[in-house]
Amino acid sequence: MLKKLPVQPQLEMFKTVLASFINHQHELCLLAKEIDWDYLEKEFATIYGEVGRPSIPIRTIVGLLLLSRY
């Protein structure tokens, strides 16, 4: 099911914001800015069902696949 998990603020109290400690000039960050994420989400959305557990975001799955090749 293509949908986001509900936000649970109590679980995010101790999370560090990723943008605060990554290097925005790293080649993977630059690559992420070049990818047309809206197009990929539209293409992969047809694979997801209408019922069941909310899915992992398509951007996360595609990003992990790219990292596995890197």
Side-chain angles (χ1 to χ4, degrees):
M1 181 162 80
L2 186 58
K3 180 167 148 179
K4 293 185 178 183
L5 293 172
V7 176
Q8 297 179 349
Q10 70 273 16
L11 296 178
E12 304 207 3
M13 187 168 71
F14 297 108
K15 282 190 176 178
T16 304
V17 179
L18 181 64
S20 67
F21 65 89
I22 64 170
N23 178 4
H24 292 281
Q25 297 305 314
H26 189 275
E27 55 195 22
L28 290 175
C29 289
L30 297 174
L31 175 64
K33 293 176 187 174
E34 296 294 322
I35 295 174
D36 184 4
W37 293 107
D38 293 330
Y39 170 76
L40 286 175
E41 287 180 356
K42 197 177 346 173
E43 289 295 314
F44 283 105
T46 59
I47 299 172
Y48 290 85
E50 297 296 320
V51 295
R53 181 183 179 276
S55 65
I56 297 171
I58 293 171
R59 183 174 177 152
T60 302
I61 294 171
V62 172
L64 290 171
L65 286 170
L66 287 173
L67 282 175
S68 71
R69 300 285 183 179
Y70 182 69

